[in-house]
Amino acid sequence: MVPLSQVWTVASYVIGKKLKGVKRYPLVLMLEPLFRCNLACAGCGKIQYPDHILNRRLTPEQCWAAAEECGAPIVSIAGGEPLVHKEIDRIVEGLIRMKRYVYLCSNALLLKKRLDLFKPSKYLTFSIHLDGLKEEHDESVCREGVYETAVEGIKEAVKRGFRVTINSTLFDGANPERVRAFFDEAMRLGIEGIMVSPGYSYQKAPDQEHFLQRNKTRELFKQILKDRKKSWKFNLSPLFLEFLQGNIEYDCTPWGNPTYNVFGWQKPCYLLQDGYAKTFKELIESTPWEKYGFRSGNPKCANCMVHSGYEATAVNDTFGSWRGFAKTVKATLSL
Amino acid sequence: MGKEKKVLSGEKFVFSNDSQKIEILEAAFDYRGDVTLELVQGQTIEGYLFNRQLTEAPFFVEMLVPGEESARRIPIEQICAVTFSGKDPADGKSYEAWKAKKEKERREEAKKIESEMKQAGLLD
Ligand code: SF4
């Protein structure tokens, strides 16, 4: 389960912003301290750069400054593979000192060997990329044997008392029964919860064929989440899960998960790259937000239902009004 | 221009008017390899063009150049030609291509990537 202190931090942060009348505020900073990865997944649009870009790193000081500047209570460290960054331990340590809840996203290839760099803390969660059971995951990451290595890493991290979640991206052709079996298997590993999102085409991902369309996404999630098992825990807002099944209609709030990387603050979201701002303030003030999201009619957003665009909307709904809170309670109790 | 990014690799465009310049610079922003800008003073700059402001003043592009820490901002009136000089790093790495490979080829490729990663210090 997500610690109560984290729920409380997020709730009071959102309510505080609402009371101050702040219209656009960040919830999760998507921090990409590097683009270099030790895998080359076809669905990933984050690593197709020349070598001199892949060799660039954000310094710990730049990472802390970005977290300070935007003020989001949660920092998701993605990339690239963060464990390849030589100063990842310092980056994490500094963010924890700032009392940010850090989700370190990793493919876990280096996890077992790098675990000594970290100390278990309620502020630190390893969010391990697993797209399914062995067959599906190894296919998704375009390399055999990755699933087994990741599972070993997860077991070791759990054994040593770290918070561990898995994050899964589901692509077109996912088999609901296999996904359900995968959730059973993941929970048996002793993880805290599952984060799941439909894959959506990064503009630059080499594979553009296998991303889900909106209706298919809803159908798939309905099938996966029907008669949801009590043993499955999700590290996601209950309302986001309702949204994925088509039970609630939301629009995207891309400023909820702003992305900072070696180019600066990315406009408008984690997936699209429509330019960069030098500061978070400039990002918020200069991005034409009305041009993005499902309702904008922007074809690039037409089928997108991803976590990084829509979960902030769901969280905002939960803590933004008594009605939203009541919906969340209802969705939680119906599990 | 109507060309896909794969076709752009190796192509050079000398601008004949402003609208073509904007179109090509937009394509250069979209391109995942390095590009070379030719400036009116005769100088050339090669690097990764990661940002642009082409629809409102001040008009500029921003580039990260190998070996330089900070980005360079180049006013677009100084640019007279663009060459898509670097190769497209996304080329030939599709999921389909991976699936089409035989089991043995996949294993061989996985081993090859693994040993490259180890050599680069990205895997223990
Ligand atoms: S809907 Fe939102 S998250 Fe999705 S691509 Fe558009 S702006 Fe990005």
Side-chain angles (χ1 to χ4, degrees), chain A residues 128-145:
Chain A
I128 306 303
H129 173 203
L130 271 190
D131 284 347
L133 292 165
K134 181 180 161 31
E135 198 181 305
E136 286 84 358
H137 185 62
D138 285 355
E139 185 145 299
S140 169
V141 301
C142 304
R143 195 182 318 165
E144 309 286 341

Side-chain angles (χ1 to χ4, degrees), chain A residues 200 252 254 268-272 292-294 300-301 304 306 308-310:
Chain A
Y200 190 59
C252 161
C269 68
Y270 185 62
L271 301 177
L272 300 182
Y292 302 102
F294 176 65
K300 288 177 185 163
C301 299
C304 175
V306 299
S308 56
Y310 288 85

Side-chain angles (χ1 to χ4, degrees), chain A residues 268-323:
Chain A
C269 68
Y270 185 62
L271 301 177
L272 300 182
Q273 286 168 283
D274 247 351
Y276 287 87
K278 296 250 174 303
T279 63
F280 178 69
K281 189 169 181 285
E282 185 194 327
L283 171 82
I284 292 292
E285 289 172 0
S286 70
T287 306
W289 300 109
E290 68 288 353
K291 290 191 180 155
Y292 302 102
F294 176 65
R295 289 190 191 123
S296 71
N298 186 335
K300 288 177 185 163
C301 299
N303 285 305
C304 175
M305 294 176 81
V306 299
H307 169 257
S308 56
Y310 288 85
E311 176 151 44
T313 317
V315 172
N316 189 38
D317 190 14
T318 297
F319 298 115
S321 65
W322 283 112
R323 228 175 120 233

Side-chain angles (χ1 to χ4, degrees), chain A residues 170-237:
Chain A
L170 300 182
F171 295 92
D172 197 7
N175 174 333
E177 285 314 313
R178 294 277 296 171
V179 177
R180 290 172 67 91
F182 164 57
F183 286 175
D184 288 339
E185 190 58 37
M187 293 312 304
R188 273 198 286 273
L189 296 173
I191 59 164
E192 179 180 299
I194 298 164
M195 295 162 103
V196 62
S197 180
Y200 190 59
S201 137
Y202 291 99
Q203 264 168 305
K204 307 293 167 67
D207 173 26
Q208 294 287 333
E209 306 276 302
H210 292 83
F211 294 100
L212 285 152
Q213 306 291 305
R214 219 173 165 84
N215 282 339
K216 274 191 174 173
T217 300
R218 291 180 175 140
E219 221 17 73
L220 175 66
F221 277 90
K222 268 201 167 106
Q223 289 183 46
I224 293 170
L225 297 174
K226 67 170 190 255
D227 320 318
R228 212 174 312 170
K229 297 193 183 171
K230 291 267 182 255
S231 58
W232 299 348
K233 302 280 176 256
F234 291 94
N235 219 276
L236 289 167
S237 149

